[in-house]
Amino acid sequence: MATRVFSDEELEALRSFPAVGKDELIRYFTLTPADRAFLAKFRRSQNVLGAAVQLSALPWLGFVPDDVPAAPAAAVGRLARQLGLAAGDLAGYGEREQTRTDHLRQVAEYLGWKQPKAIEHKELDEFLLARAMEHDSPSLLFRLGCEYLRSAKVIRPGVVLLLEKVASARTAAEQETHGRWPTC
């Protein structure tokens, strides 16, 4: 089995904001009245807009990239217009990592998402093992794992951790497959 699944550029892309399409802009970057009420508790404009980006990114991607101000300009602009803010207000957001982390916790709670704990990790491992019995492609298993986490409203862990889980599932599937077939 190959140990390297993604190139450095692909790994960076998996940790960052992708380009956003028109449909995604409408689906994920349209604030409801309840969303605006939730965001009103943040005082400074950069925090309001930063939390709004996180509020939109979490359901879109299943995680929020660390560099929130690097969100696609079209997405930031759309959120800023809805909030009556300037898109430039996002500059400097999250300079204190704790601010971004605190806001993500609040956003996740508001949206009904959770950080993966032991049970979520176990369920993900079981899901990946079942998929690995059907497919051997690590990139496919990675994508299926991301989709599973998003559907369960569990925040995606880091790329490396998820790749380690994929590798473990592939190894376990290979062992189980060999165990099922008698040697000749």
Side-chain angles (χ1 to χ4, degrees):
M1 262 188 271
T3 57
R4 186 68 188 231
V5 177
F6 298 112
S7 69
D8 289 340
E9 295 79 24
E10 290 170 319
L11 286 173
E12 185 55 36
L14 290 169
R15 294 180 178 113
S16 306
F17 285 99
V20 62
K22 183 178 178 182
D23 291 342
E24 293 165 320
L25 271 175
I26 294 167
R27 180 174 180 189
Y28 296 107
F29 294 89
T30 300
L31 300 172
T32 66
D35 294 341
R36 284 195 282 280
F38 167 76
L39 293 168
K41 71 180 182 178
F42 299 99
R43 292 186 185 96
R44 297 173 50 210
S45 60
Q46 76 181 49
N47 289 342
V48 172
L49 193 50
V53 169
Q54 291 196 54
L55 181 71
S56 301
L58 185 56
W60 176 37
L61 303 173
F63 75 105
V64 177
D66 289 339
D67 190 6
V68 173
V76 174
R78 181 173 175 84
L79 291 169
R81 281 189 300 279
Q82 294 172 74
L83 295 166
L85 301 171
D89 288 347
L90 189 58
Y93 174 76
E95 287 176 349
R96 275 188 58 244
E97 185 177 327
Q98 191 63 41
T99 299
R100 190 188 62 78
T101 303
D102 288 346
H103 291 175
L104 178 57
R105 183 182 42 74
Q106 293 173 53
V107 164
E109 184 178 318
Y110 168 73
L111 293 174
W113 283 64
K114 56 191 167 213
Q115 289 285 348
K117 296 210 168 44
I119 187 71
E120 288 82 16
H121 282 288
K122 183 177 185 291
E123 289 170 350
L124 175 60
D125 291 340
E126 291 170 358
F127 173 84
L128 288 171
L129 174 59
R131 301 298 81 71
M133 295 297 293
E134 304 164 353
H135 310 284
D136 190 46
S137 167
S139 59
L140 174 63
L141 292 171
F142 181 89
R143 187 174 51 81
L144 291 172
C146 290
E147 290 172 5
Y148 168 79
L149 291 168
R150 225 174 26 250
S151 71
K153 289 189 167 187
V154 174
I155 298 172
R156 188 195 84 188
V159 173
V160 172
L161 177 60
L162 188 50
L163 285 172
E164 289 170 352
K165 289 184 167 298
V166 165
S168 295
R170 291 177 72 217
T171 300
E174 184 177 326
Q175 291 171 347
E176 189 168 325
T177 300
H178 289 301
R180 288 184 182 185
W181 301 103
T183 56
C184 296

